[in-house]
Amino acid sequence: MKTSLILCSCALLALSSCSTTKTIKFSEKQNDVYTTENLKEFLKKNKNPKVVLRVPEVSINTTTQENIDYLYNSIENQLLSSGFVVRDRQLFNQIIENESNNVDYEKLKEKSDTDLIIELTKLDPSILYETNQFYDKKNRVRTEKEGIHERYGASVEFKVVSIENNEYAGMYKLNYTPCTYGCIVSQSFKDLRKELKDKKKKEAEPYEGVEKDVLEEFIKDATIKLVNEMRY
């Protein structure tokens, strides 16, 4: 993970080069989920529901215009692995557009042959977690005399709509908290002061957040949790 302090990471075999070994931990942020009884009952009777993933442009909270289709593909692949029949989202959007903004959900279900809309309403890959505490090598909690440690987490939000009933069937906010099992960081106070001084001279970077591979793994895990919450 990137950090604003660019804290020096120490490998176990290189502890001798660092003045102090420190481990930071963050408490896991709880998910916020809600599933209607109607959806649970529907999924009990329909083991292979037909779904479509919708991804409005406003759902992504980033300052870069990078292509993130790989995340959408990860969600759809995980839905397929969970037994869902996944409809083509582009074709589904065309059907809606052809309805001239007067969507009749009964007709929409018939034309699209889809049961549920799973809408990705928000994705934030740059939630900042920070602490001025760390654990020493004896697992004792210590407080930094200067500076703080930072890591980036993420969150994703889904909304599920039942087409047949035209109702919101579920709302899900799923979180990725960094360093829940500990991240090793180490840096002398002398170097820390120097970096803090240098940092003040530099302009802030235009974008920081969870690294691509970590974000993709989080999205896969979040989709698994989404399916489990919907079904159980």
Side-chain angles (χ1 to χ4, degrees):
M1 297 294 181
K2 297 180 180 177
T3 67
S4 63
L5 299 181
I6 320 175
L7 294 174
C8 170
S9 296
C10 295
L12 292 177
L13 297 178
L15 294 180
S16 60
S17 65
C18 304
S19 60
T20 306
T21 299
K22 308 170 185 178
T23 301
I24 60 172
K25 297 180 183 179
F26 294 104
S27 298
E28 187 169 5
K29 191 172 184 179
Q30 296 301 305
N31 299 322
D32 186 9
V33 300
Y34 173 74
T35 305
T36 64
E37 290 301 321
N38 286 341
L39 179 57
K40 291 180 180 180
E41 287 299 318
F42 173 80
L43 292 177
K44 285 180 181 178
K45 298 176 182 178
N46 298 272
K47 301 301 182 183
N48 305 106
K50 301 167 186 176
V51 303
V52 65
L53 175 67
R54 297 202 69 199
V55 286
E57 292 182 2
V58 295
S59 65
I60 309 304
N61 181 24
T62 67
T63 56
T64 62
Q65 298 300 318
E66 64 176 322
N67 189 316
I68 56 173
D69 284 343
Y70 73 96
L71 294 178
Y72 306 150
N73 293 334
S74 292
I75 295 172
E76 290 177 329
N77 288 339
Q78 195 57 60
L79 290 172
L80 284 169
S81 298
S82 300
F84 287 52
V85 177
V86 180
R87 297 305 190 202
D88 187 289
R89 58 178 182 269
Q90 292 182 341
L91 291 178
F92 185 86
N93 289 336
Q94 289 178 6
I95 293 173
I96 292 180
E97 291 172 1
N98 292 336
E99 292 296 318
S100 302
N101 296 323
N102 296 314
V103 179
D104 183 318
Y105 277 84
E106 185 175 346
K107 292 182 179 178
L108 180 60
K109 177 176 173 58
E110 180 182 347
K111 290 183 178 181
S112 66
D113 191 21
T114 302
D115 300 311
L116 303 172
I117 300 173
I118 299 178
E119 184 174 346
L120 192 161
T121 57
K122 185 177 181 181
L123 172 61
D124 190 345
S126 53
I127 299 176
L128 186 63
Y129 288 75
E130 56 186 19
T131 180
N132 67 344
Q133 293 185 330
F134 65 92
Y135 294 82
D136 63 18
K137 62 183 179 180
K138 294 184 178 180
N139 204 34
R140 295 174 298 190
V141 179
R142 302 297 189 186
T143 302
E144 289 287 8
K145 295 180 181 179
E146 296 183 55
I148 57 175
H149 299 282
E150 296 179 349
R151 290 291 187 275
Y152 280 97
S155 70
V156 62
E157 297 181 29
F158 294 99
K159 176 176 68 178
V160 178
V161 177
S162 171
I163 297 181
E164 183 174 16
N165 300 325
N166 186 19
E167 68 174 11
Y168 289 135
M171 305 287 287
Y172 310 87
K173 181 177 181 180
L174 306 166
N175 301 294
Y176 162 65
T177 306
C179 302
T180 54
Y181 296 102
C183 295
I184 295 177
V185 295
S186 187
Q187 187 165 322
S188 68
F189 290 138
K190 179 180 178 181
D191 290 340
L192 179 58
R193 285 194 293 269
K194 181 178 182 301
E195 256 184 90
L196 286 172
K197 184 178 180 180
D198 292 341
K199 180 176 179 295
K200 293 179 181 179
K201 298 178 182 179
K202 298 179 181 179
E203 295 183 359
E205 295 183 16
Y207 171 74
E208 289 184 316
V210 174
E211 293 178 352
K212 181 176 178 178
D213 57 339
V214 178
L215 184 59
E216 184 174 13
E217 191 62 33
F218 162 61
I219 288 296
K220 290 179 182 178
D221 182 65
T223 307
I224 293 173
K225 291 179 180 177
L226 169 67
V227 171
N228 288 337
E229 291 292 343
M230 289 169 61
R231 283 179 166 162
Y232 310 111

